[in-house]
Amino acid sequence: MSGFVEKPEPIEVPGLVHLHTGKVRELYQNEAGDLVMVASDRISAYDWVLPTEIPDKGRVLTQLSLWWFDQLRDLAANHVISTEVPEGAPADWAGRTLVCKSLKMVPVECVARGYLTGSGLVEYNESRTVCGLALPEGLVDGSELPAPIFTPATKAEVGEHDENVSYEEVARQVGAETAAQLRQATLAVYSRARDIARERGIILADTKFEFGFDGDTLVLADEVLTPDSSRFWPADQWQPGRAQPSYDKQFVRDWLTSPESGWDRKSEQPPPPLPEQVVAATRQKYVEAYERLTGTSWS
């Protein structure tokens, strides 16, 4: 069992229809048919959406996505129409709201990997492949790959795992032409972002994108290149052969699996609330990622 420890009730706003509650985002539709995405401060780990929020997290994700959309504008169209808060919405929506084009979404998580870790490392250790792509011998946790690879996954419901699939399976599901477009766009955007991050002392180990179609145009959607959708590592601490320090929710994962939490990950019991020090440390990691990447201070 997993999912929400406490599923929130969506806020009702005049003129908006609530469509979906995700792990982090609430999705609405306005009267013009546009999507309104609101990033909450919720955080998830081990397929659970936790009962404790991380202050400012939703704003950091939204503002960092906007910064990246701007960096990538010449490579990929994006879905953002405006950042205006709809009339009648709570003041707290400021800075965490995106009004977006309604797209025909492609049901594939488009993952790019430049380094070996996570589920890719697990598969590599078993078969020397990732999503069916053969990789050279001798790689370890944190190794840089010879070239970035496209390793798609199926998109899971809240509380379920995304599942890695082969490129051939994606082509079967969405068609060969769309699969080729997804792979090309994913690797192009990853390569640009990797180079930008590297200039700022950060390794972009891997990331996932979502795409949709606006007519015949492939459009980059949802969040992009945030600590929730990417693995960012400090370049000056990179050391293959071990788990890398990262700008994400590692503090949360570490505490949940520590004796201090008292939580058994293999049980069906929901995880407990996070202590203040874990919340503060996690918030600082999100803010630090924003500041190092954008070169501007968080306020």
Side-chain angles (χ1 to χ4, degrees):
M1 181 180 174
S2 52
F4 288 92
V5 175
E6 300 168 5
K7 188 166 184 177
E9 286 295 322
I11 295 168
E12 293 187 13
V13 178
L16 298 186
V17 176
H18 183 261
L19 300 178
H20 179 66
T21 295
K23 289 180 182 178
V24 174
R25 286 166 183 77
E26 299 288 348
L27 190 61
Y28 296 81
Q29 188 170 45
N30 65 19
E31 291 170 339
D34 305 320
L35 296 183
V36 179
M37 291 193 338
V38 185
S40 73
D41 292 335
R42 295 192 291 267
I43 193 164
S44 63
Y46 300 120
D47 298 323
W48 284 96
V49 181
L50 305 180
T52 312
E53 295 190 337
I54 307 298
D56 283 332
K57 176 174 175 281
R59 288 191 179 88
V60 170
L61 299 182
T62 302
Q63 298 308 310
L64 189 54
S65 290
L66 286 167
W67 184 84
W68 278 114
F69 281 135
D70 197 47
Q71 309 302 308
L72 303 166
R73 192 171 299 278
D74 60 317
L75 274 185
N78 67 69
H79 66 161
V80 178
I81 296 172
S82 82
T83 57
E84 288 185 23
V85 176
E87 191 174 339
D92 182 62
W93 282 20
R96 59 175 81 242
T97 300
L98 296 179
V99 181
C100 304
K101 295 175 184 175
S102 183
L103 306 174
K104 183 181 179 184
M105 296 302 293
V106 183
V108 176
E109 293 276 7
C110 293
V111 180
R113 301 175 192 267
Y115 293 75
L116 186 65
T117 194
S119 62
L121 177 66
V122 173
E123 182 184 334
Y124 173 82
N125 286 338
E126 293 172 350
S127 61
R128 295 299 182 264
T129 65
V130 177
C131 290
L133 297 173
L135 294 175
E137 291 284 339
L139 301 180
V140 295
D141 193 354
S143 288
E144 184 172 9
L145 300 177
I149 57 175
F150 176 61
T151 59
T154 57
K155 193 164 166 48
E157 294 298 316
V158 175
E160 297 180 10
H161 278 299
D162 293 343
E163 194 169 311
N164 292 347
V165 294
S166 67
Y167 176 78
E168 289 73 22
E169 177 59 28
V170 172
R172 277 194 290 272
Q173 289 183 14
V174 302
E177 183 178 351
T178 296
Q181 282 183 275
L182 293 174
R183 179 168 61 184
Q184 189 278 329
T186 297
L187 293 176
V189 171
Y190 170 81
S191 297
R192 166 75 63 82
R194 175 202 59 196
D195 293 347
I196 290 172
R198 188 177 285 160
E199 291 169 359
R200 290 155 170 78
I202 290 179
I203 289 172
L204 174 58
D206 56 41
T207 192
K208 63 180 178 181
F209 303 116
E210 291 193 40
F211 291 93
F213 280 97
D214 181 14
D216 294 330
T217 303
L218 189 66
V219 176
L220 189 56
D222 199 54
E223 64 178 323
V224 289
L225 297 155
T226 72
D228 270 14
S229 65
S230 316
R231 282 189 176 92
F232 292 118
W233 299 337
D236 59 359
Q237 297 178 55
W238 175 52
Q239 188 180 322
R242 62 173 173 90
Q244 310 300 317
S246 57
Y247 294 98
D248 62 8
K249 47 194 170 189
Q250 197 58 48
F251 284 113
V252 172
R253 297 190 194 99
D254 290 348
W255 183 80
L256 286 173
T257 54
S258 73
E260 184 186 344
S261 78
W263 181 57
D264 180 2
R265 183 183 166 191
K266 296 176 182 175
S267 75
E268 292 191 356
Q269 293 301 310
L274 302 174
E276 288 183 14
Q277 70 270 20
V278 173
V279 171
T282 302
R283 178 189 180 278
Q284 182 53 38
K285 277 295 177 188
Y286 277 80
V287 168
E288 187 180 348
Y290 173 87
E291 292 182 335
R292 289 196 65 172
L293 286 165
T294 67
T296 57
S297 64
W298 180 259
S299 57

